[in-house]
Amino acid sequence: MMRNILTFILAGGKGERLHPLTQDRAKPAVPFGGIYRIIDFTLSNCVNSGMRRIHVLIQYKSISLQRHLRMGWNFFQADLNEFIDVIPAQQRVGSDWYKGTADAIFQNIYTIEQEKADEVLILAGDHVYKMNYCKMLDFHRQSNADMTVSVLEMDKEKSSQLGVVVVNEDGIVKGFEEKPSDPDTIPGNPDKVYASMGIYVFNREALEEELIEDSKKNTDHDFGKNIIPQMVKKGRKVCAYNFTAMAKGPAVDSVYWRDIGTIDAYYQSNMDLLGAEPVFNLYDRDWPVMTYQEQFPPVRTVHSGEEAGRVGTFLDSLVSGGCVISGGKVQGSILSPNVRINSFSEVYDSILMEGVDVGRYAKIKKAIIDKEVAIPRGMVIGYDLEEDRKRFFVTASGIVIVAKGTELL
């Protein structure tokens, strides 16, 4: 029975490593894949899994996120005790804002007490993946665990970027390591580690007791760094759910999970949507990704033989409604709604967000252009990174980001 599950989605992080994409919006509200917001993937997993009692915890720069949830996720039926409630930091149990993942839940412990759920599912709002949470709930119950954490098999060499869950031969959690240089590996597999996916299932009573205890300590109030070790030390049963092994069936067509924590991760995850056989498939009708979409006219291309080279084409790209490719070329890119590509311009391996206008003869390569930016006639972006660094933010891997609303001359 899934109706007695209460779900919390943590959507209040600052997303500082995604700046400047997060200068005006929360990280879960950052556009993704043309028509989506990052949080749509977690919410779609909830709906597809039958989880329809959802609290979204927000904090920083949340106006666009709240608007998106109100306009796109308002189909829950209250008379069936379905809801998606947006809860801002309220200083309900003190004078602090959310200080960590565990503290965010603790500050809403009254909600957990009122709902009297059997289990509580805790998710992050800034990950891109498909997951059937019912399978994890079944595993949690069959294991008779107090807490279950979902883990992903990852190469040992990547452990310095991960939260590593330490388990014994029976899959019982024995510890947690934050970005270790010499991690504990999976028993019997010295080249792999279990990376925490930031997905937790708790028995309600155990969660309430652990949050109250942690709130009295001077900690980071983090589930991985604090709550898991606290529970292990006390002898509570904490189990690891191996998503890599369990992700089979109609919910997923590949084991894919990305923490959209950096510009490089954001860019690569978008690029994973492209190609003849995309790494992450948006076209799975058995597990649809839902969102809110404004009404736009169909995509239009314009080609005229009157001027040599004026051909409106797009190849190996995702192009959203309302876009006009008027005599320009787009390849290996993602265009959000209402983008215009003017004559003789070229866009390669880039992400253009809503309302971007690319002027004639402009050339763009390996760039992220945020909303409402007009690229002037003849401007070149992504071909000379030293020049780009004088005007824009450029990552170490060479991705150029033009911030939202930037006025270019």
Side-chain angles (χ1 to χ4, degrees):
M1 180 65 177
M2 295 302 162
R3 286 197 175 276
N4 210 25
I5 307 299
L6 187 62
T7 300
F8 285 90
I9 299 177
L10 302 172
K14 289 183 177 180
E16 293 176 334
R17 292 182 298 161
L18 268 183
H19 189 83
L21 300 182
T22 51
Q23 70 180 10
D24 295 316
R25 57 170 83 93
K27 182 162 62 167
V30 172
F32 186 92
I35 63 173
Y36 305 99
R37 304 288 183 124
I38 294 174
I39 198 172
D40 289 329
F41 294 88
T42 299
L43 286 170
S44 294
N45 287 337
C46 288
V47 172
N48 290 325
S49 300
M51 311 296 174
R52 290 174 171 258
R53 299 168 65 202
I54 304 169
H55 294 295
V56 180
L57 306 186
I58 62 173
Q59 187 160 234
Y60 300 101
K61 301 177 183 177
S62 61
I63 293 177
S64 64
L65 177 59
Q66 292 184 70
R67 184 185 302 117
H68 177 71
L69 295 174
R70 183 180 70 251
M71 298 176 73
W73 292 91
N74 59 358
F75 52 80
F76 293 81
Q77 294 183 268
D79 54 346
L80 296 179
N81 197 26
E82 299 176 357
F83 56 81
I84 177 167
D85 284 341
V86 178
I87 306 177
Q90 304 172 75
Q91 299 181 327
R92 188 179 179 93
V93 297
S95 58
D96 294 313
W97 302 112
Y98 297 149
K99 296 181 290 184
T101 55
D103 181 64
I105 304 298
F106 172 70
Q107 290 203 36
N108 292 283
I109 196 169
Y110 73 100
T111 302
I112 300 173
E113 294 170 344
Q114 287 178 333
E115 294 290 341
K116 298 297 182 185
D118 294 328
E119 291 107 351
V120 179
L121 175 64
I122 299 171
L123 308 168
D126 53 3
H127 298 162
V128 172
Y129 65 114
K130 298 178 190 176
M131 181 175 181
N132 188 340
Y133 301 132
C134 296
K135 291 185 178 182
M136 185 176 176
L137 262 294
D138 289 340
F139 174 87
H140 173 79
R141 291 168 178 173
Q142 292 167 9
S143 303
N144 196 30
D146 294 299
M147 174 195 183
T148 298
V149 54
S150 187
V151 296
L152 190 71
E153 295 178 17
M154 299 283 280
D155 293 335
K156 178 183 177 181
E157 289 72 23
K158 298 180 180 179
S159 63
S160 61
Q161 307 166 33
L162 306 167
V164 174
V165 177
V166 182
V167 305
N168 65 15
E169 293 79 3
D170 298 320
I172 305 300
V173 176
K174 294 301 180 184
F176 181 88
E177 301 173 339
E178 181 69 22
K179 300 179 180 178
S181 57
D182 185 23
D184 281 84
T185 56
I186 298 173
N189 193 346
D191 297 323
K192 298 284 187 177
V193 297
Y194 278 144
S196 172
M197 296 173 65
I199 299 171
Y200 313 105
V201 177
F202 282 89
N203 291 342
R204 176 177 59 84
E205 295 86 351
L207 175 62
E208 291 174 349
E209 291 171 10
E210 297 300 331
L211 290 178
I212 291 170
E213 180 176 334
D214 176 72
S215 71
K216 299 174 183 178
K217 300 177 182 179
N218 182 22
T219 73
D220 290 329
H221 306 293
D222 182 82
F223 280 112
K225 289 187 284 186
N226 306 120
I227 299 296
I228 289 177
Q230 176 179 290
M231 295 181 73
V232 169
K233 185 177 181 180
K234 292 162 61 176
R236 286 195 185 268
K237 189 174 184 181
V238 181
C239 292
Y241 174 80
N242 186 348
F243 178 62
T244 306
M246 300 296 290
K248 300 174 182 178
V252 289
D253 49 8
S254 64
V255 178
Y256 186 94
W257 175 86
R258 295 291 185 272
D259 179 357
I260 311 299
T262 65
I263 292 291
D264 286 329
Y266 172 83
Y267 176 85
Q268 187 55 56
S269 292
N270 273 273
M271 294 299 108
D272 286 344
L273 305 176
L274 304 178
E277 296 183 4
V279 180
F280 188 71
N281 182 14
L282 294 174
Y283 297 86
D284 180 2
R285 298 309 304 162
D286 292 325
W287 201 263
V289 181
M290 291 160 273
T291 189
Y292 167 74
Q293 296 187 65
E294 291 184 45
Q295 297 298 314
F296 287 103
V299 176
R300 182 163 63 97
T301 62
V302 180
H303 159 65
S304 173
E306 297 175 1
E307 297 178 81
R310 185 175 185 264
V311 180
T313 61
F314 59 93
L315 306 169
D316 297 326
S317 299
L318 293 180
V319 179
S320 306
C323 290
V324 177
I325 302 176
S326 179
K329 181 179 180 180
V330 176
Q331 186 168 347
S333 298
I334 296 176
L335 274 55
S336 290
N338 208 30
V339 170
R340 185 177 181 92
I341 309 295
N342 287 292
S343 298
F344 310 107
S345 60
E346 300 175 4
V347 177
Y348 298 104
D349 305 323
S350 296
I351 301 166
L352 275 54
M353 297 189 189
E354 186 174 336
V356 170
D357 189 302
V358 180
R360 283 191 167 211
Y361 299 99
K363 295 178 66 177
I364 300 171
K365 181 177 71 172
K366 202 175 180 182
I368 301 171
I369 314 296
D370 209 335
K371 287 185 173 184
E372 307 302 335
V373 172
I375 306 297
R377 179 188 179 101
M379 178 168 280
V380 177
I381 297 174
Y383 288 82
D384 186 336
L385 297 183
E386 290 305 312
E387 282 299 313
D388 288 331
R389 286 190 179 94
K390 297 176 182 178
R391 301 174 294 172
F392 311 120
F393 178 84
V394 181
T395 70
S397 65
I399 301 167
V400 183
I401 299 95
V402 181
K404 179 180 178 181
T406 300
E407 294 186 9
L408 301 175
L409 302 175

